[in-house]
Amino acid sequence: MRIESTQSFVAAFQALPMLKSLDEYYPDLSHWYINTVVPGLVLGNDVLLLAREGQHTVGLALGKRSDTERKLRCVRVLPEAQNTGIGLKLIETMFEELETDKPHCTVAEEMLGLYSRTFVNRYGFALNSVDKGRYRPGKLEYVFN
C-alpha cells in the first residue's frame, strides 16, 4: 500500500464515488467537492491523498491549506480495507502535507464514535465546540482544533 498526493484533475474525479456515502451527513457534498475542492486542488490550495494497492484506490484524505486555515476535511477508507491502519497513515501523511499535527476538522454526530477516540487519544486533538445545525438542521457537528 502506498499513499500518493495528487493534483490530477482526473484523479480528483475518480475519487468522487468514495465520497458519495457522505452526502447523507453533508448535503450537496458532491457539488461542494466539484466546485470548491477540485479547483483548490488544481490551484494547490487543497490536498488529495490516495491510498493505493496496486492500481486500486482503497482510501483517500482531503485537506485544505491556506494562509488562514489548515483543515483535515475528510478521510475515507473502503469497508474492505478498514481496520488495517490505512486511515491512520492517511491522517499522518495529511499532517505532513498541511505542516501541522493539529488541523481544524469537524465530525458529524453520527460519525463521532468512529473518530473521537483516535483524534483525542492518539493525536491530542481538542474539542473546541459543538455546533447544532452547522450542515444539517437539528444535527450536531463536533469541531476540533
Side-chain angles (χ1 to χ4, degrees):
M1 193 272 307
R2 69 188 186 286
I3 305 288
E4 301 174 358
S5 178
T6 183
Q7 291 178 286
S8 164
F9 193 73
V10 172
F13 277 93
Q14 289 173 338
L16 186 57
M18 288 188 72
L19 301 170
K20 285 288 192 187
S21 64
L22 293 174
D23 280 341
E24 71 179 283
Y25 307 116
Y26 301 99
D28 297 324
L29 182 97
S30 297
H31 180 268
W32 165 81
Y33 180 78
I34 292 166
N35 292 287
T36 302
V37 176
V38 173
L41 288 170
V42 173
L43 295 171
N45 299 325
D46 290 287
V47 179
L48 172 60
L49 299 177
L50 300 175
R52 296 194 185 257
E53 290 182 352
Q55 295 301 313
H56 186 63
T57 300
V58 296
L60 66 80
L62 295 173
K64 176 183 178 182
R65 81 178 144 228
S66 70
D67 293 338
T68 59
E69 183 178 38
R70 303 282 194 228
K71 185 173 185 179
L72 175 62
R73 287 180 153 170
C74 177
V75 178
R76 300 298 292 160
V77 177
L78 293 177
E80 60 270 20
Q82 292 177 1
N83 300 311
T84 63
I86 292 172
L88 297 175
K89 184 67 175 159
L90 283 164
I91 291 169
E92 291 165 8
T93 304
M94 187 60 74
F95 290 168
E96 294 170 16
E97 291 285 329
L98 298 177
E99 299 175 342
T100 183
D101 61 354
K102 301 288 187 285
H104 170 72
C105 65
T106 68
V107 179
E109 66 181 42
E110 297 90 343
M111 300 176 83
L112 186 64
L114 295 172
Y115 291 98
S116 62
R117 202 163 101 206
T118 299
F119 282 178
V120 173
N121 294 340
R122 185 179 186 104
Y123 299 121
F125 284 18
L127 179 64
N128 287 29
S129 65
V130 180
D131 297 344
K132 188 172 187 177
R134 182 180 192 143
Y135 296 113
R136 297 173 295 154
K139 295 293 185 175
L140 301 178
E141 191 76 14
Y142 293 80
V143 181
F144 291 89
N145 300 330

